[in-house]
Amino acid sequence: MKIEGKEYRTIWFENNTVKIIDQTKLPHQFIIKDLKNVNDAINAISTMEVRGAPLIGATAAYGLVLSIIEKNDLSFLKKSSEDLIASRPTAINLKWAVDRMMKKLLGVNSNEILKIALDEAKAIVEEDVSFCQNIGLNGLNIIEKIAEKKKDTVNILTHCNAGWLATIDWGTATSPIYHAHKKGIKVHVWVDETRPRNQGANLTSYELNEEGIPNTIIADNTGGILMQRGQVDMCIVGTDRTLSNGDVCNKIGTYLKALAAKDNDIPFYVALPSSTIDWNIKDHKKIPIEERNSEELSHVEGLDKNNKLQKVLIYPQKSKAMNLAFDVTPAKYITGLITEKGICEASEQGLKGLFK
Ligand code: MRU
């Protein structure tokens, strides 16, 4: 998708280096950063220079390529794979991508391992692009139907950033929106700010602006009243881990939005590529929920009056804060799952019907 009119992807490989857009600097600075070794990749994931489930999976895949370039040695590769998986706990794509890479790489001759690793990492990236594109085409049908019935702008609420910046291109939740916009359907997006890291305001609104899609940032608690007033036609969010029973683990606050949508009879869709499905964990309480540094809550960063980035404390100095990064939305609150293979019910039957 575009930034200042130029097409970008979120990650690419060039001259033995992985290039990323540093998302901790957006929207105020656009910086392309080089990842030169596996530690750079681990650091980029844990500090959220790259974030979003599919993108951290792709970064981990390229991280293994960097590990081989650094030291073509099996025990180093195994250690790299463990460290990459540990770099963030909740999104399943990280382990999915590392496992897929290691399955290809174990037992391979050291003369050809780099080429095989690079080909597989590129395959993961290309597959994500085509999956996200298909998610868009499938989700477009839902938006089209609402637009035909309403004969007016379709108002869509989204949470966090499940946009192209969270994937390689297109995004998951945003892909149906981009496809609708390209088809000439009038859409407007309510963007949850998504405290504490503000991925909605800093990333979703930013990327929608760059594509010319009307959007309005709202405080995370505003969605409920907008739904009561009839100003939301549908919600679409992403997911970091989807259980086989249809429960969805996504950015903290998703659950509360789903409850409000249910209470107001508003369709609540979750968009995902199959790489986000966890077929093993059956009970959502077993999902590792990331708890991040409380400084993400107590401090905010922004431009001061001299256009300089500043970080300031906004809480009482003596207060404690807790920063859980994800929550779980039970399947019963989800209208449907929009996947690369079609739309299904959020249930074991629905998912197995498409994927097994
Ligand atoms: O903590 P983040 O920014 O990595 O969280 C991202 C989300 O929760 C997204 O909604 C999710 O990864 C889906 S991305 C297509």
Side-chain angles (χ1 to χ4, degrees):
M1 306 299 285
K2 290 197 274 303
I3 293 177
E4 294 196 355
K6 189 172 169 204
E7 289 283 343
Y8 284 95
R9 284 185 172 185
T10 51
I11 191 164
W12 64 100
F13 189 79
E14 205 178 289
N15 300 330
N16 278 0
T17 302
V18 176
K19 305 268 187 187
I20 58 160
I21 298 167
D22 181 352
Q23 299 194 19
T24 61
K25 299 288 188 297
L26 291 174
H28 302 300
Q29 295 172 338
F30 178 76
I31 292 172
I32 293 172
K33 193 169 172 179
D34 289 352
L35 309 182
K36 293 187 170 22
N37 53 50
V38 66
N39 265 334
D40 287 349
I42 292 165
N43 190 50
I45 295 169
S46 61
T47 61
M48 295 176 66
E49 288 169 350
V50 287
R51 27 69 50 206
L55 178 56
I56 59 180
T59 309
Y62 275 131
L64 290 175
V65 172
L66 293 173
S67 161
I68 296 166
I69 293 172
E70 200 178 334
K71 192 171 169 188
N72 192 341
D73 170 86
L74 188 59
S75 58
F76 186 63
L77 186 66
K78 283 187 179 159
K79 171 85 172 73
S80 300
S81 72
E82 285 161 13
D83 291 347
L84 281 162
I85 288 174
S87 59
R88 279 194 84 189
T90 302
I92 188 75
N93 302 59
L94 194 48
K95 183 170 169 4
W96 169 87
V98 170
D99 287 351
R100 176 166 159 174
M101 291 288 290
M102 292 304 277
K103 207 169 152 194
K104 277 267 164 178
L105 300 178
L106 290 178
V108 158
N109 189 310
S110 63
N111 299 330
E112 48 183 17
I113 193 166
L114 178 57
K115 183 181 179 318
I116 293 173
L118 193 51
D119 286 349
E120 194 61 10
K122 284 183 175 165
I124 286 173
V125 161
E126 293 309 323
E127 190 181 278
D128 190 67
V129 175
S130 80
F131 283 3
C132 285
Q133 190 162 14
N134 284 339
I135 288 168
L137 292 169
N138 293 328
L140 168 64
N141 295 325
I142 304 167
I143 300 177
E144 253 176 338
K145 280 194 189 120
I146 296 173
E148 271 163 28
K149 201 167 155 204
K150 194 180 171 192
K151 301 205 185 332
D152 202 351
T153 303
V154 181
N155 287 305
I156 302 168
L157 184 143
T158 191
H159 190 70
C160 193
N161 174 261
W164 76 269
L165 289 167
T167 64
I168 312 300
D169 211 351
W170 292 109
T172 57
T174 55
S175 188
I177 298 169
Y178 287 132
H179 279 82
H181 179 71
K182 280 183 197 298
K183 221 178 159 185
I185 299 169
K186 279 197 190 146
V187 286
H188 164 262
V189 185
W190 294 113
V191 178
D192 277 353
E193 179 189 33
T194 318
R195 284 279 290 149
R197 291 187 66 101
N198 297 339
Q199 291 96 323
N202 291 347
L203 305 175
T204 305
S205 181
Y206 171 78
E207 60 164 87
L208 292 172
N209 292 342
E210 296 299 309
E211 288 291 328
I213 299 190
N215 69 91
T216 308
I217 300 169
I218 49 175
D220 293 323
N221 298 326
T222 308
I225 190 166
L226 294 179
M227 292 183 200
Q228 287 172 328
R229 287 178 171 181
Q231 288 175 276
V232 180
D233 296 304
M234 70 185 295
C235 305
I236 320 181
V237 300
T239 161
D240 288 81
R241 194 185 287 241
T242 308
L243 300 193
S244 57
N245 67 1
D247 289 353
V248 160
C249 183
N250 191 50
K251 182 52 57 192
I252 193 86
T254 303
Y255 172 45
L256 295 180
K257 232 28 73 78
L259 287 177
K262 185 80 177 176
D263 191 44
N264 290 281
D265 265 332
I266 290 161
F268 189 92
Y269 285 95
V270 180
L272 62 133
S274 49
S275 52
T276 307
I277 304 171
D278 182 339
W279 295 103
N280 297 316
I281 290 185
K282 302 289 174 208
D283 174 0
H284 75 79
K285 293 198 186 78
K286 300 222 163 78
I287 299 174
I289 300 288
E290 181 177 20
E291 185 169 349
R292 296 185 62 86
N293 194 324
S294 63
E295 213 186 279
E296 291 181 353
L297 276 161
S298 59
H299 290 67
V300 290
E301 195 175 56
L303 291 181
D304 69 10
K305 59 179 190 303
N306 299 317
N307 254 5
K308 279 224 157 79
L309 270 182
Q310 297 282 0
K311 200 175 203 182
V312 294
L313 170 71
I314 55 166
Y315 284 179
Q317 281 194 348
K318 289 183 186 164
S319 294
K320 279 200 303 183
M322 187 206 212
N323 185 11
L324 291 177
F326 298 94
D327 63 23
V328 178
T329 301
K332 63 182 174 185
Y333 299 120
I334 299 168
T335 310
L337 302 175
I338 309 171
T339 78
E340 75 269 15
K341 286 206 177 169
I343 300 167
C344 71
E345 188 184 80
S347 68
E348 181 130 22
Q349 212 188 357
L351 280 168
K352 283 197 171 154
L354 287 182
F355 293 104
K356 284 218 164 159

